[in-house]
Amino acid sequence: MVAPERRRGRPPDEEARTRRREKILGCAARVFAAGGYQKTDVQAIADAANVAKGTLYLYFTGKEELFLAAVDQGMTWMRAAVDSAIADLRDPLDVFERGILAYLRFFEEHPEQVELLIQERAEFRDRKQSTYFRHREEGAAHWHSLLRELLASGRFRDLPLTRIDDVMNDLVYGTMFTNHFSGRHKPIETQAGDILDIVFRGILSDEERAKMKDTKS
Amino acid sequence: MVAPERRRGRPPDEEARTRRREKILGCAARVFAAGGYQKTDVQAIADAANVAKGTLYLYFTGKEELFLAAVDQGMTWMRAAVDSAIADLRDPLDVFERGILAYLRFFEEHPEQVELLIQERAEFRDRKQSTYFRHREEGAAHWHSLLRELLASGRFRDLPLTRIDDVMNDLVYGTMFTNHFSGRHKPIETQAGDILDIVFRGILSDEERAKMKDTKS
Amino acid sequence: MVAPERRRGRPPDEEARTRRREKILGCAARVFAAGGYQKTDVQAIADAANVAKGTLYLYFTGKEELFLAAVDQGMTWMRAAVDSAIADLRDPLDVFERGILAYLRFFEEHPEQVELLIQERAEFRDRKQSTYFRHREEGAAHWHSLLRELLASGRFRDLPLTRIDDVMNDLVYGTMFTNHFSGRHKPIETQAGDILDIVFRGILSDEERAKMKDTKS
Amino acid sequence: MVAPERRRGRPPDEEARTRRREKILGCAARVFAAGGYQKTDVQAIADAANVAKGTLYLYFTGKEELFLAAVDQGMTWMRAAVDSAIADLRDPLDVFERGILAYLRFFEEHPEQVELLIQERAEFRDRKQSTYFRHREEGAAHWHSLLRELLASGRFRDLPLTRIDDVMNDLVYGTMFTNHFSGRHKPIETQAGDILDIVFRGILSDEERAKMKDTKS
DNA sequence: CATGAATGAGTATTCATTCAT
DNA sequence: TATGAATGAATACTCATTCAT
């Protein structure tokens, strides 16, 4: 018995399909970010990707899936960027600092991803969970164990983990949005430095701080 | 005795007009927040306000103006809520704390205003400045003089004013969005307390803090 | 028993009402002619007549009646203009000539009436008879007796009355429309002269005319 | 042997496209004529042509272009009808006579084209030149050389060309409109005969004609 | 698989008419 | 009677999706 000849004649070329899919997603991200979800014609994405409109429907079920896939891809890239920035660091405090820097840098360099996040919230508010928060949850374990380590080793003062978690997350989230929405262009390193200075050391003077210590937290 | 200068026809009732305008705006805010700008049918707003569709166009030039007026009204309310919460406080640190609390409380109690902010950004991204940041700028003077007072009196350690300004603004902005988008429902007082604890005193342990002090700020 | 006092207190002032009605009609004619029936807002007519929109409905049942009344008024004026032009003429041939001249002159001086005629046909094509043809019919008796006189007295050659009637009517109708639609501005006297020259004497040369006479008319 | 250059996807069929375009135009002419430009719903045209509303917009930019193209097509047909009627005639006087007959016959047989002419004037009065007069100008050269020939050969008496031109044009134009607007249904041949009888030989009796000859034309 | 012509549901805005004052 | 605020019916055009080739 002979191996099926089809195999020889035509390789499935799954790879080409994947490449095309990613190309479409990249174009979609750009076009959606430039025009907004509603105002963007599917045709405009097809044009940008240099394929026919019908072809898009061979790769995605519709405009919605196309959009959501683009957002998801962006968030995946973001996490990869952060992971890669902290990959070879040893000191947990360095990881903490460089992670924040990498997060802000990614959105600074990919403003279209910020647009996609906002668009997603505006147009698909009814979905259980937004892509951003889903990815945040998926990455939460690493982040929590980092915080736990910093707490356990006594480098952070004794605070509930969720307090640090919430405040830090809200702060970088708000920073990213404000950067984008208000057109602020402070250098990323300065910005990360400002954040860490305040979050690490607080804004109270030593005197005021001492007074407050007596009180119960 | 002089005959009252009765004008011909139906007398215009300025007050009634204003009341009706505000009623329409309130309904518009609710309906837009519930359905999103694009998906909201103008008819739905008319129904909610119990007026005919054509009447809306006697008060607003169109859907867009109606929406933007609703956003603006919301931000005006927000500032009024914060101002009123701090009106009779003496200690600047109290003002600082209660201001943050009032801000968070307003958006907690008026989630539709958060929706409007996000909708505005998504649909009218090309406008010079979003309503939120315009109002933030209008209120900046008060806020800055508060910070200056706290710095001058030595209750805050010696930091650049904009560092505190930026970080605090970004933090409450991110907190508000996260509350709304992720469905987090921490009690507002706890939340404000968590924020202030970290922002006031920092997260580093005393030991780590001492180490860092030697370094450059 | 006393006569009702109301009579004394307020004269019915039918005259004022009529004057106002005519003023409105005049304005309506101008505004309709300028903008076309469909594109003309009732409000624009009210503005032009300096009355409130609602007032129009006290004088006319609606936009349609207002328009048709304006057309009718115009045709009434036209007939009066022609009648007045021929009033004191004795020679029937003079009446014939001056009647045509007066007709063309009226529409030259009142181009808005031409517009109203065309608008009426375009928008109310389903009405039994257009205002123009109704007025033409109403004036037909005079016109026919004029033609009959000219035929009977041997000043016109022996032709069926309707042949002259139709051709003359069609000719001046077509002339009026062409003047207006193509922007032709030949002096009215020249134009009437050209028409009469051809209609009175024909365009064939004497030779060709003679040949044709032998044939059957 | 070379593989036929099969193009990807559905091949464009230029011929089918043209056929469909003309079908749509024909339906549009009928529906517009029946209902008037303003009152005609674009959907009604789509229904009549048995295509979807959106398809109309693949062939025409909008309702206006659709209408104007229908008018233009009609006038093109009219000129073709007249040209074809006189194509093989030798005697210029025959051409003159048969041309007028063909003109009247066309509009008798295509009353919807008369409607379109009137609709165009009513709704698009601001356009530089109406379709009718544009086509008339395009055909003027032939017509003028015909008149010149008849004048030069002495078959018409010595008249200015424009006098004949204007009067004949106005006459047939007025005849066409009157036929349509007043519902007159004289047989076309009779009608053309009546026109030619009067225009050729005039209406004056020989006696009156002689008197007038003494006068200056 | 790829194409793009065809489809038809969906919507902001205008404006003739009404009617409370 | 005069007014003009309120009403709501009416309508061209777009664009996501399908499917014949």
Side-chain angles (χ1 to χ4, degrees), chain C residues 113-132:
Chain C
Q113 296 298 338
V114 187
E115 282 298 338
L116 295 187
L117 291 180
I118 215 71
Q119 293 288 334
E120 188 198 25
R121 249 310 300 191
E123 308 300 340
F124 302 101
R125 112 190 48 93
D126 299 330
R127 285 163 49 95
K128 282 285 164 43
Q129 200 180 25
S130 74
T131 303
Y132 179 85

PDB file of all heavy atoms in Angstrom, chain C residues 113-132:
ATOM      1  N   GLN C 113     -44.291  83.374 -12.743  1.00  0.00           N
ATOM      2  CA  GLN C 113     -45.523  82.676 -13.105  1.00  0.00           C
ATOM      3  C   GLN C 113     -45.236  81.486 -14.018  1.00  0.00           C
ATOM      4  O   GLN C 113     -45.938  80.469 -13.978  1.00  0.00           O
ATOM      5  CB  GLN C 113     -46.511  83.637 -13.782  1.00  0.00           C
ATOM      6  CG  GLN C 113     -46.987  84.760 -12.863  1.00  0.00           C
ATOM      7  CD  GLN C 113     -47.738  84.250 -11.635  1.00  0.00           C
ATOM      8  OE1 GLN C 113     -48.264  83.128 -11.622  1.00  0.00           O
ATOM      9  NE2 GLN C 113     -47.756  85.052 -10.586  1.00  0.00           N
ATOM     10  N   VAL C 114     -44.203  81.624 -14.837  1.00  0.00           N
ATOM     11  CA  VAL C 114     -43.824  80.476 -15.668  1.00  0.00           C
ATOM     12  C   VAL C 114     -43.347  79.332 -14.773  1.00  0.00           C
ATOM     13  O   VAL C 114     -43.712  78.171 -14.953  1.00  0.00           O
ATOM     14  CB  VAL C 114     -42.727  80.863 -16.674  1.00  0.00           C
ATOM     15  CG1 VAL C 114     -42.474  79.707 -17.631  1.00  0.00           C
ATOM     16  CG2 VAL C 114     -43.103  82.120 -17.429  1.00  0.00           C
ATOM     17  N   GLU C 115     -42.551  79.714 -13.781  1.00  0.00           N
ATOM     18  CA  GLU C 115     -42.080  78.688 -12.847  1.00  0.00           C
ATOM     19  C   GLU C 115     -43.248  77.985 -12.167  1.00  0.00           C
ATOM     20  O   GLU C 115     -43.267  76.761 -12.027  1.00  0.00           O
ATOM     21  CB  GLU C 115     -41.190  79.324 -11.769  1.00  0.00           C
ATOM     22  CG  GLU C 115     -39.776  79.643 -12.206  1.00  0.00           C
ATOM     23  CD  GLU C 115     -39.001  78.389 -12.611  1.00  0.00           C
ATOM     24  OE1 GLU C 115     -39.360  77.271 -12.193  1.00  0.00           O
ATOM     25  OE2 GLU C 115     -38.044  78.540 -13.380  1.00  0.00           O
ATOM     26  N   LEU C 116     -44.216  78.770 -11.753  1.00  0.00           N
ATOM     27  CA  LEU C 116     -45.348  78.161 -11.046  1.00  0.00           C
ATOM     28  C   LEU C 116     -46.083  77.187 -11.962  1.00  0.00           C
ATOM     29  O   LEU C 116     -46.507  76.113 -11.532  1.00  0.00           O
ATOM     30  CB  LEU C 116     -46.302  79.245 -10.532  1.00  0.00           C
ATOM     31  CG  LEU C 116     -45.720  80.178  -9.475  1.00  0.00           C
ATOM     32  CD1 LEU C 116     -46.813  81.097  -8.931  1.00  0.00           C
ATOM     33  CD2 LEU C 116     -45.093  79.396  -8.329  1.00  0.00           C
ATOM     34  N   LEU C 117     -46.205  77.558 -13.244  1.00  0.00           N
ATOM     35  CA  LEU C 117     -46.890  76.649 -14.170  1.00  0.00           C
ATOM     36  C   LEU C 117     -46.162  75.316 -14.273  1.00  0.00           C
ATOM     37  O   LEU C 117     -46.774  74.251 -14.235  1.00  0.00           O
ATOM     38  CB  LEU C 117     -46.978  77.292 -15.561  1.00  0.00           C
ATOM     39  CG  LEU C 117     -47.906  78.504 -15.681  1.00  0.00           C
ATOM     40  CD1 LEU C 117     -47.878  79.034 -17.109  1.00  0.00           C
ATOM     41  CD2 LEU C 117     -49.331  78.126 -15.277  1.00  0.00           C
ATOM     42  N   ILE C 118     -44.856  75.403 -14.372  1.00  0.00           N
ATOM     43  CA  ILE C 118     -44.077  74.174 -14.536  1.00  0.00           C
ATOM     44  C   ILE C 118     -44.100  73.357 -13.240  1.00  0.00           C
ATOM     45  O   ILE C 118     -44.216  72.130 -13.253  1.00  0.00           O
ATOM     46  CB  ILE C 118     -42.626  74.523 -14.958  1.00  0.00           C
ATOM     47  CG1 ILE C 118     -42.108  73.474 -15.916  1.00  0.00           C
ATOM     48  CG2 ILE C 118     -41.689  74.655 -13.788  1.00  0.00           C
ATOM     49  CD1 ILE C 118     -42.732  73.523 -17.249  1.00  0.00           C
ATOM     50  N   GLN C 119     -44.010  74.053 -12.129  1.00  0.00           N
ATOM     51  CA  GLN C 119     -44.067  73.361 -10.843  1.00  0.00           C
ATOM     52  C   GLN C 119     -45.411  72.662 -10.690  1.00  0.00           C
ATOM     53  O   GLN C 119     -45.484  71.523 -10.229  1.00  0.00           O
ATOM     54  CB  GLN C 119     -43.877  74.362  -9.697  1.00  0.00           C
ATOM     55  CG  GLN C 119     -42.503  74.998  -9.630  1.00  0.00           C
ATOM     56  CD  GLN C 119     -41.440  74.024  -9.151  1.00  0.00           C
ATOM     57  OE1 GLN C 119     -41.754  73.066  -8.430  1.00  0.00           O
ATOM     58  NE2 GLN C 119     -40.218  74.216  -9.589  1.00  0.00           N
ATOM     59  N   GLU C 120     -46.454  73.338 -11.065  1.00  0.00           N
ATOM     60  CA  GLU C 120     -47.773  72.742 -10.915  1.00  0.00           C
ATOM     61  C   GLU C 120     -47.873  71.443 -11.708  1.00  0.00           C
ATOM     62  O   GLU C 120     -48.337  70.426 -11.214  1.00  0.00           O
ATOM     63  CB  GLU C 120     -48.860  73.710 -11.380  1.00  0.00           C
ATOM     64  CG  GLU C 120     -50.264  73.200 -11.053  1.00  0.00           C
ATOM     65  CD  GLU C 120     -51.349  73.891 -11.858  1.00  0.00           C
ATOM     66  OE1 GLU C 120     -51.057  74.395 -12.969  1.00  0.00           O
ATOM     67  OE2 GLU C 120     -52.495  73.919 -11.386  1.00  0.00           O
ATOM     68  N   ARG C 121     -47.415  71.502 -12.936  1.00  0.00           N
ATOM     69  CA  ARG C 121     -47.464  70.297 -13.760  1.00  0.00           C
ATOM     70  C   ARG C 121     -46.631  69.177 -13.141  1.00  0.00           C
ATOM     71  O   ARG C 121     -47.006  68.010 -13.133  1.00  0.00           O
ATOM     72  CB  ARG C 121     -46.913  70.587 -15.148  1.00  0.00           C
ATOM     73  CG  ARG C 121     -47.936  70.562 -16.253  1.00  0.00           C
ATOM     74  CD  ARG C 121     -48.787  69.331 -16.243  1.00  0.00           C
ATOM     75  NE  ARG C 121     -48.005  68.116 -16.404  1.00  0.00           N
ATOM     76  CZ  ARG C 121     -48.498  66.940 -16.637  1.00  0.00           C
ATOM     77  NH1 ARG C 121     -49.807  66.780 -16.751  1.00  0.00           N
ATOM     78  NH2 ARG C 121     -47.736  65.889 -16.758  1.00  0.00           N
ATOM     79  N   ALA C 122     -45.474  69.547 -12.615  1.00  0.00           N
ATOM     80  CA  ALA C 122     -44.578  68.514 -12.098  1.00  0.00           C
ATOM     81  C   ALA C 122     -45.132  67.879 -10.831  1.00  0.00           C
ATOM     82  O   ALA C 122     -45.033  66.668 -10.639  1.00  0.00           O
ATOM     83  CB  ALA C 122     -43.194  69.105 -11.830  1.00  0.00           C
ATOM     84  N   GLU C 123     -45.727  68.678  -9.976  1.00  0.00           N
ATOM     85  CA  GLU C 123     -46.118  68.158  -8.667  1.00  0.00           C
ATOM     86  C   GLU C 123     -47.572  67.709  -8.594  1.00  0.00           C
ATOM     87  O   GLU C 123     -47.928  66.896  -7.751  1.00  0.00           O
ATOM     88  CB  GLU C 123     -45.867  69.221  -7.596  1.00  0.00           C
ATOM     89  CG  GLU C 123     -44.471  69.810  -7.591  1.00  0.00           C
ATOM     90  CD  GLU C 123     -43.393  68.759  -7.352  1.00  0.00           C
ATOM     91  OE1 GLU C 123     -43.736  67.678  -6.823  1.00  0.00           O
ATOM     92  OE2 GLU C 123     -42.230  69.000  -7.717  1.00  0.00           O
ATOM     93  N   PHE C 124     -48.394  68.268  -9.452  1.00  0.00           N
ATOM     94  CA  PHE C 124     -49.824  67.927  -9.347  1.00  0.00           C
ATOM     95  C   PHE C 124     -50.347  67.402 -10.667  1.00  0.00           C
ATOM     96  O   PHE C 124     -51.432  67.748 -11.109  1.00  0.00           O
ATOM     97  CB  PHE C 124     -50.619  69.165  -8.921  1.00  0.00           C
ATOM     98  CG  PHE C 124     -50.153  69.734  -7.628  1.00  0.00           C
ATOM     99  CD1 PHE C 124     -49.339  70.851  -7.595  1.00  0.00           C
ATOM    100  CD2 PHE C 124     -50.498  69.119  -6.436  1.00  0.00           C
ATOM    101  CE1 PHE C 124     -48.886  71.358  -6.399  1.00  0.00           C
ATOM    102  CE2 PHE C 124     -50.054  69.629  -5.235  1.00  0.00           C
ATOM    103  CZ  PHE C 124     -49.240  70.752  -5.215  1.00  0.00           C
ATOM    104  N   ARG C 125     -49.547  66.542 -11.251  1.00  0.00           N
ATOM    105  CA  ARG C 125     -49.910  66.051 -12.581  1.00  0.00           C
ATOM    106  C   ARG C 125     -51.207  65.267 -12.587  1.00  0.00           C
ATOM    107  O   ARG C 125     -51.830  65.114 -13.640  1.00  0.00           O
ATOM    108  CB  ARG C 125     -48.754  65.229 -13.159  1.00  0.00           C
ATOM    109  CG  ARG C 125     -48.914  63.755 -13.339  1.00  0.00           C
ATOM    110  CD  ARG C 125     -47.570  63.207 -13.667  1.00  0.00           C
ATOM    111  NE  ARG C 125     -46.627  63.783 -12.690  1.00  0.00           N
ATOM    112  CZ  ARG C 125     -46.303  63.171 -11.560  1.00  0.00           C
ATOM    113  NH1 ARG C 125     -46.783  61.990 -11.276  1.00  0.00           N
ATOM    114  NH2 ARG C 125     -45.495  63.739 -10.704  1.00  0.00           N
ATOM    115  N   ASP C 126     -51.633  64.826 -11.440  1.00  0.00           N
ATOM    116  CA  ASP C 126     -52.823  63.976 -11.416  1.00  0.00           C
ATOM    117  C   ASP C 126     -54.133  64.760 -11.407  1.00  0.00           C
ATOM    118  O   ASP C 126     -55.198  64.189 -11.612  1.00  0.00           O
ATOM    119  CB  ASP C 126     -52.770  63.045 -10.202  1.00  0.00           C
ATOM    120  CG  ASP C 126     -51.552  62.146 -10.281  1.00  0.00           C
ATOM    121  OD1 ASP C 126     -51.141  61.837 -11.413  1.00  0.00           O
ATOM    122  OD2 ASP C 126     -51.027  61.781  -9.223  1.00  0.00           O
ATOM    123  N   ARG C 127     -54.030  66.059 -11.155  1.00  0.00           N
ATOM    124  CA  ARG C 127     -55.252  66.856 -11.156  1.00  0.00           C
ATOM    125  C   ARG C 127     -55.879  66.847 -12.545  1.00  0.00           C
ATOM    126  O   ARG C 127     -55.194  66.867 -13.554  1.00  0.00           O
ATOM    127  CB  ARG C 127     -54.946  68.292 -10.746  1.00  0.00           C
ATOM    128  CG  ARG C 127     -54.682  68.430  -9.248  1.00  0.00           C
ATOM    129  CD  ARG C 127     -53.992  69.741  -8.982  1.00  0.00           C
ATOM    130  NE  ARG C 127     -54.685  70.808  -9.653  1.00  0.00           N
ATOM    131  CZ  ARG C 127     -55.609  71.584  -9.078  1.00  0.00           C
ATOM    132  NH1 ARG C 127     -55.946  71.365  -7.820  1.00  0.00           N
ATOM    133  NH2 ARG C 127     -56.191  72.540  -9.753  1.00  0.00           N
ATOM    134  N   LYS C 128     -57.163  66.859 -12.569  1.00  0.00           N
ATOM    135  CA  LYS C 128     -57.907  66.807 -13.824  1.00  0.00           C
ATOM    136  C   LYS C 128     -57.277  67.687 -14.897  1.00  0.00           C
ATOM    137  O   LYS C 128     -56.920  67.279 -15.978  1.00  0.00           O
ATOM    138  CB  LYS C 128     -59.350  67.261 -13.598  1.00  0.00           C
ATOM    139  CG  LYS C 128     -60.222  66.217 -12.955  1.00  0.00           C
ATOM    140  CD  LYS C 128     -60.611  65.109 -13.941  1.00  0.00           C
ATOM    141  CE  LYS C 128     -61.147  63.913 -13.177  1.00  0.00           C
ATOM    142  NZ  LYS C 128     -62.079  64.285 -12.072  1.00  0.00           N
ATOM    143  N   GLN C 129     -57.185  68.973 -14.553  1.00  0.00           N
ATOM    144  CA  GLN C 129     -56.777  69.931 -15.548  1.00  0.00           C
ATOM    145  C   GLN C 129     -55.845  70.926 -14.878  1.00  0.00           C
ATOM    146  O   GLN C 129     -56.091  71.353 -13.752  1.00  0.00           O
ATOM    147  CB  GLN C 129     -58.028  70.662 -16.047  1.00  0.00           C
ATOM    148  CG  GLN C 129     -57.843  71.327 -17.369  1.00  0.00           C
ATOM    149  CD  GLN C 129     -59.118  72.022 -17.795  1.00  0.00           C
ATOM    150  OE1 GLN C 129     -59.948  72.389 -16.953  1.00  0.00           O
ATOM    151  NE2 GLN C 129     -59.282  72.220 -19.087  1.00  0.00           N
ATOM    152  N   SER C 130     -54.804  71.292 -15.574  1.00  0.00           N
ATOM    153  CA  SER C 130     -53.898  72.249 -14.958  1.00  0.00           C
ATOM    154  C   SER C 130     -54.551  73.629 -14.991  1.00  0.00           C
ATOM    155  O   SER C 130     -55.440  73.908 -15.798  1.00  0.00           O
ATOM    156  CB  SER C 130     -52.576  72.290 -15.705  1.00  0.00           C
ATOM    157  OG  SER C 130     -52.731  72.956 -16.926  1.00  0.00           O
ATOM    158  N   THR C 131     -54.095  74.475 -14.077  1.00  0.00           N
ATOM    159  CA  THR C 131     -54.648  75.828 -13.988  1.00  0.00           C
ATOM    160  C   THR C 131     -54.530  76.558 -15.321  1.00  0.00           C
ATOM    161  O   THR C 131     -55.453  77.249 -15.752  1.00  0.00           O
ATOM    162  CB  THR C 131     -53.897  76.605 -12.891  1.00  0.00           C
ATOM    163  OG1 THR C 131     -54.013  75.880 -11.671  1.00  0.00           O
ATOM    164  CG2 THR C 131     -54.475  77.997 -12.728  1.00  0.00           C
ATOM    165  N   TYR C 132     -53.401  76.395 -15.983  1.00  0.00           N
ATOM    166  CA  TYR C 132     -53.195  77.093 -17.256  1.00  0.00           C
ATOM    167  C   TYR C 132     -54.278  76.730 -18.257  1.00  0.00           C
ATOM    168  O   TYR C 132     -54.904  77.611 -18.853  1.00  0.00           O
ATOM    169  CB  TYR C 132     -51.826  76.740 -17.827  1.00  0.00           C
ATOM    170  CG  TYR C 132     -51.549  77.400 -19.155  1.00  0.00           C
ATOM    171  CD1 TYR C 132     -51.039  78.688 -19.222  1.00  0.00           C
ATOM    172  CD2 TYR C 132     -51.816  76.742 -20.357  1.00  0.00           C
ATOM    173  CE1 TYR C 132     -50.786  79.309 -20.436  1.00  0.00           C
ATOM    174  CE2 TYR C 132     -51.578  77.349 -21.580  1.00  0.00           C
ATOM    175  CZ  TYR C 132     -51.058  78.634 -21.612  1.00  0.00           C
ATOM    176  OH  TYR C 132     -50.826  79.238 -22.822  1.00  0.00           O
TER     177      TYR C 132
END
